[in-house]
Amino acid sequence: MPLLGSRHHTLIQALLSRGPLKEDDFHNMFSEITGKSPGTHQQTFNDYLRKMNMELSYVQFEMRACRNQYDGNVYYGVVNNVSDEQSKLGTKYTVPQIAFYKGIIEAIVQDAAVQGCISDIDALNVRLENQVTETSSQSQASTSQVPPAFRNFSMSQKEKTLEALVQDKWLSRTPDGKVGLGVRSFLDLRSWFRSTDIPACDVCNEAGVKAELCQNENCTVRIHQYCLKRKFSHTRVEKVCPGCGTEWHYILPKAEALEEQNNANGPTQSDPPPEASKKKKLRTQKTADVDDVHPGSLQASLHSSETRRITRRSARLS
């Protein structure tokens, strides 16, 4: 098998040192390094990704693309595919800090309203003792079983850890100042989302951490905001829930509604040539299908815990 060249090494090193990169930034970097644009040399771009992943697989790493559910942007990053005790040593975080992160992640994904975030107060009030691994003979961990490091983890330590997790992109700040998942969590935790039965988006089948819910309280369908835009982008498409048929209150943005109206009225002098429209459609389709591309983390720590699934109805009864 041929070894990776210097260009492959540069791309991998950039993702390792800088962390996850937006799709445009990664594409621009690829163009500068190889002299070829992914837009016009898609096969070359795919071949690079495939070759790098073949080599990375020998050390249980993978270059992966994911979509940030808060802003809809696509990111590329390198993740660790191993979930064992040894891989936990690859993180700079301590055991109590990892437990704190796990508690925040579980609180976010268990939100019945699917807002994808919790308040600072809720994050800081996460109880580390809930992360103590249960034994087979006991259903609850007693106080004596809770490690002293967990009991002594102060509020100031939680605040510092929370800011560090945001800075390292494991967590994020939403526009209203709440705590959400970071892009590194979306990259690393795909398998954990599936193993813990986090309900998936009805359109892209990825975990619906930040999504819109069907207005029918008895329906469990959830769809990401950017997937709603893809699904209901045409004015002639019936805007109903794909699960129960309930009307879905989706308002088409003015710019898209105007474009749809212009298309319905026929081509005008300002319309792009058919070839340009076709290329634009192809680029849109490639971006829409990015979640199907699989080009020392905290990922391993979450595989050891089980998340209790909260339904919309149970949340109302609690």
Side-chain angles (χ1 to χ4, degrees), residues 252-301:
L252 192 68
K254 289 184 178 180
E256 295 182 13
L258 181 60
E259 182 179 353
E260 283 292 314
Q261 184 178 0
N262 290 338
N263 291 338
N265 295 334
T268 63
Q269 293 181 352
S270 60
D271 289 334
E275 294 79 4
S277 299
K278 185 176 181 180
K279 290 180 180 179
K280 180 178 179 181
K281 183 176 180 181
L282 289 173
R283 287 197 299 270
T284 303
Q285 182 64 33
K286 289 174 183 177
T287 303
D289 297 336
V290 71
D291 292 327
D292 297 329
V293 178
H294 298 281
S297 71
L298 293 177
Q299 175 192 17
S301 305

Coordinates of all heavy atoms in Angstrom, one line a residue, residues 252-301:
L252 N -41.5 29.8 4.7 CA -40.4 29.8 3.7 C -39.8 31.2 3.7 O -40.5 32.2 3.7 CB -40.9 29.5 2.3 CG -39.9 29.3 1.2 CD1 -39.2 27.9 1.5 CD2 -40.6 29.2 -0.1
P253 N -38.4 31.3 3.9 CA -37.8 32.6 3.8 C -38.2 33.4 2.6 O -38.4 32.8 1.5 CB -36.3 32.2 3.9 CG -36.2 30.9 4.5 CD -37.5 30.2 4.1
K254 N -38.2 34.7 2.7 CA -38.7 35.6 1.6 C -37.8 35.4 0.4 O -38.4 35.3 -0.7 CB -38.6 37.0 2.1 CG -39.7 37.4 3.1 CD -39.7 38.9 3.4 CE -40.7 39.3 4.4 NZ -40.7 40.7 4.7
A255 N -36.5 35.3 0.5 CA -35.6 35.2 -0.6 C -36.0 33.9 -1.4 O -36.0 33.9 -2.6 CB -34.2 35.2 -0.2
E256 N -36.2 32.8 -0.7 CA -36.5 31.5 -1.3 C -37.9 31.5 -1.9 O -38.1 31.0 -3.0 CB -36.3 30.4 -0.3 CG -34.9 30.2 0.2 CD -34.8 29.0 1.1 OE1 -35.8 28.2 1.2 OE2 -33.8 28.9 1.8
A257 N -38.8 32.2 -1.2 CA -40.2 32.3 -1.8 C -40.2 33.1 -3.1 O -40.9 32.7 -4.0 CB -41.1 32.9 -0.7
L258 N -39.4 34.1 -3.1 CA -39.3 35.0 -4.3 C -38.7 34.2 -5.5 O -39.2 34.3 -6.6 CB -38.5 36.2 -4.0 CG -38.4 37.2 -5.2 CD1 -39.7 37.7 -5.7 CD2 -37.5 38.4 -4.8
E259 N -37.7 33.4 -5.1 CA -37.0 32.6 -6.2 C -38.0 31.5 -6.7 O -38.0 31.3 -7.9 CB -35.8 31.9 -5.6 CG -35.0 31.1 -6.6 CD -33.8 30.4 -6.0 OE1 -33.5 30.7 -4.8 OE2 -33.1 29.6 -6.7
E260 N -38.8 30.9 -5.8 CA -39.8 30.0 -6.3 C -40.8 30.6 -7.2 O -41.2 30.0 -8.2 CB -40.5 29.3 -5.1 CG -39.6 28.3 -4.3 CD -39.5 27.1 -5.2 OE1 -40.4 26.6 -5.8 OE2 -38.3 26.6 -5.3
Q261 N -41.2 31.8 -6.8 CA -42.2 32.6 -7.6 C -41.6 32.9 -9.0 O -42.3 32.7 -10.0 CB -42.6 33.8 -6.9 CG -43.7 34.6 -7.7 CD -44.2 35.8 -6.9 OE1 -43.7 36.1 -5.8 NE2 -45.1 36.6 -7.4
N262 N -40.4 33.3 -9.1 CA -39.7 33.6 -10.3 C -39.6 32.4 -11.2 O -39.8 32.4 -12.4 CB -38.4 34.2 -10.1 CG -38.4 35.6 -9.5 OD1 -39.4 36.3 -9.6 ND2 -37.3 36.0 -8.8
N263 N -39.3 31.2 -10.6 CA -39.2 30.0 -11.3 C -40.5 29.6 -11.9 O -40.7 29.0 -13.0 CB -38.6 28.9 -10.4 CG -37.2 29.1 -10.1 OD1 -36.5 29.8 -10.8 ND2 -36.7 28.5 -9.0
A264 N -41.6 29.8 -11.1 CA -42.9 29.5 -11.6 C -43.4 30.3 -12.7 O -44.2 29.9 -13.6 CB -43.9 29.6 -10.4
N265 N -42.9 31.6 -12.7 CA -43.3 32.5 -13.8 C -42.5 32.4 -15.1 O -42.7 33.1 -16.0 CB -43.2 34.0 -13.3 CG -44.2 34.3 -12.2 OD1 -45.2 33.6 -12.1 ND2 -43.9 35.2 -11.3
G266 N -41.4 31.5 -15.0 CA -40.6 31.3 -16.2 C -39.3 32.1 -16.1 O -39.1 32.9 -15.2
P267 N -38.3 31.8 -16.9 CA -37.0 32.4 -16.9 C -37.1 33.9 -17.2 O -37.9 34.3 -18.0 CB -36.2 31.6 -17.9 CG -37.2 31.1 -18.9 CD -38.4 30.8 -18.0
T268 N -36.2 34.7 -16.6 CA -36.1 36.1 -16.9 C -34.7 36.4 -17.3 O -33.8 35.5 -17.3 CB -36.5 37.0 -15.7 OG1 -35.5 36.7 -14.6 CG2 -37.9 36.6 -15.1
Q269 N -34.5 37.7 -17.7 CA -33.1 38.1 -18.1 C -32.1 38.0 -17.0 O -30.9 37.8 -17.3 CB -33.2 39.5 -18.7 CG -34.0 39.7 -19.9 CD -33.9 41.1 -20.5 OE1 -33.4 42.0 -19.8 NE2 -34.4 41.3 -21.6
S270 N -32.5 38.1 -15.8 CA -31.6 38.0 -14.6 C -31.3 36.6 -14.2 O -30.5 36.4 -13.3 CB -32.2 38.8 -13.4 OG -33.4 38.3 -13.0
D271 N -32.1 35.6 -14.8 CA -31.9 34.2 -14.4 C -30.5 33.7 -14.9 O -30.1 34.1 -16.0 CB -33.0 33.3 -14.9 CG -34.3 33.6 -14.2 OD1 -34.2 34.0 -13.0 OD2 -35.4 33.3 -14.8
P272 N -29.8 32.9 -14.1 CA -28.6 32.3 -14.6 C -28.8 31.3 -15.7 O -29.9 30.8 -15.9 CB -28.0 31.6 -13.3 CG -29.2 31.3 -12.5 CD -30.2 32.4 -12.8
P273 N -27.8 31.1 -16.5 CA -27.9 30.1 -17.6 C -28.3 28.7 -17.0 O -28.0 28.4 -15.9 CB -26.5 30.1 -18.2 CG -25.9 31.3 -17.8 CD -26.5 31.7 -16.5
P274 N -28.9 27.8 -17.8 CA -29.3 26.5 -17.3 C -28.1 25.7 -16.8 O -28.2 25.0 -15.9 CB -29.9 25.8 -18.6 CG -30.3 27.0 -19.5 CD -29.4 28.1 -19.2
E275 N -26.9 25.9 -17.4 CA -25.7 25.2 -17.0 C -25.3 25.6 -15.6 O -25.0 24.8 -14.7 CB -24.5 25.4 -17.9 CG -24.7 24.8 -19.3 CD -25.6 25.7 -20.2 OE1 -26.0 26.8 -19.7 OE2 -25.9 25.3 -21.3
A276 N -25.4 26.9 -15.3 CA -25.1 27.4 -14.0 C -26.1 26.9 -12.9 O -25.7 26.6 -11.8 CB -25.1 29.0 -14.0
S277 N -27.4 26.9 -13.3 CA -28.4 26.4 -12.4 C -28.1 24.9 -12.0 O -28.3 24.5 -10.9 CB -29.8 26.5 -12.9 OG -30.0 27.9 -13.2
K278 N -27.7 24.2 -13.0 CA -27.4 22.7 -12.8 C -26.3 22.5 -11.9 O -26.3 21.7 -11.0 CB -27.2 22.1 -14.2 CG -27.0 20.5 -14.1 CD -26.9 19.9 -15.5 CE -26.7 18.4 -15.4 NZ -26.6 17.8 -16.7
K279 N -25.2 23.3 -12.1 CA -24.0 23.2 -11.3 C -24.4 23.6 -9.8 O -23.9 23.0 -8.9 CB -22.9 24.1 -11.8 CG -22.3 23.6 -13.1 CD -21.2 24.6 -13.6 CE -20.6 24.1 -14.9 NZ -19.5 25.0 -15.3
K280 N -25.2 24.7 -9.7 CA -25.6 25.1 -8.3 C -26.4 24.0 -7.7 O -26.2 23.7 -6.5 CB -26.5 26.4 -8.4 CG -26.9 26.9 -7.1 CD -27.7 28.1 -7.3 CE -28.2 28.7 -5.9 NZ -29.0 29.9 -6.0
K281 N -27.3 23.3 -8.4 CA -28.0 22.2 -7.8 C -27.2 21.1 -7.4 O -27.4 20.5 -6.3 CB -29.1 21.7 -8.9 CG -30.0 20.7 -8.3 CD -31.0 20.3 -9.4 CE -32.0 19.2 -8.9 NZ -33.0 18.8 -9.9
L282 N -26.1 20.8 -8.2 CA -25.2 19.7 -7.8 C -24.4 20.0 -6.6 O -24.2 19.2 -5.7 CB -24.3 19.4 -9.0 CG -24.9 18.7 -10.2 CD1 -23.9 18.7 -11.4 CD2 -25.4 17.4 -9.9
R283 N -24.0 21.3 -6.5 CA -23.2 21.7 -5.3 C -24.1 21.6 -4.0 O -23.7 21.2 -3.0 CB -22.7 23.1 -5.4 CG -21.6 23.2 -6.4 CD -20.8 24.5 -6.2 NE -21.7 25.7 -6.5 CZ -21.9 26.3 -7.6 NH1 -21.2 25.8 -8.7 NH2 -22.7 27.3 -7.8
T284 N -25.4 22.0 -4.2 CA -26.3 21.9 -3.1 C -26.5 20.5 -2.6 O -26.6 20.2 -1.4 CB -27.7 22.6 -3.4 OG1 -27.5 23.9 -3.9 CG2 -28.6 22.5 -2.3
Q285 N -26.7 19.6 -3.6 CA -26.9 18.2 -3.3 C -25.7 17.6 -2.6 O -25.9 16.8 -1.6 CB -27.2 17.4 -4.6 CG -27.5 15.9 -4.3 CD -28.8 15.8 -3.5 OE1 -29.7 16.5 -3.7 NE2 -28.8 14.8 -2.7
K286 N -24.5 18.0 -3.0 CA -23.3 17.4 -2.3 C -23.2 17.9 -0.9 O -22.8 17.1 0.0 CB -22.0 17.9 -3.1 CG -21.9 17.2 -4.4 CD -20.7 17.9 -5.2 CE -20.6 17.2 -6.6 NZ -19.5 17.9 -7.4
T287 N -23.6 19.2 -0.6 CA -23.6 19.7 0.7 C -24.6 19.0 1.6 O -24.4 18.7 2.7 CB -23.8 21.2 0.7 OG1 -22.8 21.8 -0.1 CG2 -23.8 21.8 2.1
A288 N -25.8 18.7 1.0 CA -26.9 18.1 1.7 C -26.5 16.7 2.1 O -27.0 16.2 3.2 CB -28.2 18.1 0.8
D289 N -25.7 16.0 1.3 CA -25.4 14.6 1.6 C -24.1 14.5 2.4 O -23.5 13.4 2.5 CB -25.3 13.8 0.3 CG -26.6 13.8 -0.4 OD1 -27.6 13.9 0.3 OD2 -26.6 13.6 -1.6
V290 N -23.6 15.5 3.0 CA -22.3 15.5 3.6 C -22.3 14.5 4.8 O -21.3 14.0 5.2 CB -21.8 16.9 4.1 CG1 -22.7 17.4 5.3 CG2 -20.4 16.9 4.5
D291 N -23.4 14.3 5.5 CA -23.5 13.5 6.6 C -23.2 12.0 6.3 O -23.0 11.2 7.1 CB -24.8 13.6 7.4 CG -24.9 15.0 8.0 OD1 -23.9 15.5 8.4 OD2 -26.1 15.5 8.1
D292 N -23.3 11.7 5.0 CA -23.0 10.3 4.5 C -21.6 10.1 4.2 O -21.2 9.0 3.9 CB -23.9 10.0 3.3 CG -25.4 10.0 3.6 OD1 -25.7 9.7 4.7 OD2 -26.1 10.4 2.7
V293 N -20.7 11.2 4.3 CA -19.3 11.1 4.0 C -18.6 10.7 5.3 O -18.8 11.3 6.3 CB -18.8 12.4 3.5 CG1 -17.3 12.3 3.3 CG2 -19.5 12.8 2.2
H294 N -17.8 9.7 5.3 CA -17.0 9.3 6.4 C -15.5 9.4 6.1 O -14.9 8.5 5.7 CB -17.4 7.9 6.9 CG -18.8 7.8 7.3 ND1 -19.3 8.2 8.5 CD2 -19.9 7.4 6.6 CE1 -20.6 8.0 8.6 NE2 -21.0 7.5 7.5
P295 N -15.1 10.4 6.1 CA -13.7 10.5 5.7 C -12.8 9.9 6.7 O -13.3 9.0 7.4 CB -13.6 12.0 5.6 CG -14.7 12.7 6.3 CD -15.8 11.6 6.5
G296 N -7.1 11.2 20.9 CA -7.3 11.0 22.3 C -8.5 11.9 22.6 O -8.4 13.1 22.4
S297 N -9.7 11.4 22.6 CA -10.9 12.2 22.8 C -11.6 11.9 24.0 O -11.3 10.9 24.7 CB -11.8 12.0 21.5 OG -12.4 10.8 21.6
L298 N -12.7 12.7 24.3 CA -13.6 12.4 25.4 C -14.7 11.3 25.0 O -15.5 10.9 25.8 CB -14.3 13.7 25.8 CG -13.4 14.7 26.4 CD1 -14.3 16.0 26.7 CD2 -12.8 14.2 27.7
Q299 N -14.6 10.9 23.7 CA -15.7 10.0 23.2 C -15.7 8.7 24.1 O -16.8 8.2 24.4 CB -15.4 9.6 21.8 CG -16.3 8.6 21.2 CD -15.8 8.0 19.9 OE1 -14.7 8.2 19.5 NE2 -16.7 7.4 19.1
A300 N -14.5 8.2 24.4 CA -14.5 6.9 25.1 C -15.2 6.9 26.4 O -15.8 6.0 26.9 CB -13.0 6.5 25.3
S301 N -15.2 8.1 27.1 CA -15.7 8.2 28.4 C -17.2 8.1 28.4 O -17.8 7.7 29.4 CB -15.3 9.6 29.0 OG -13.9 9.7 29.0

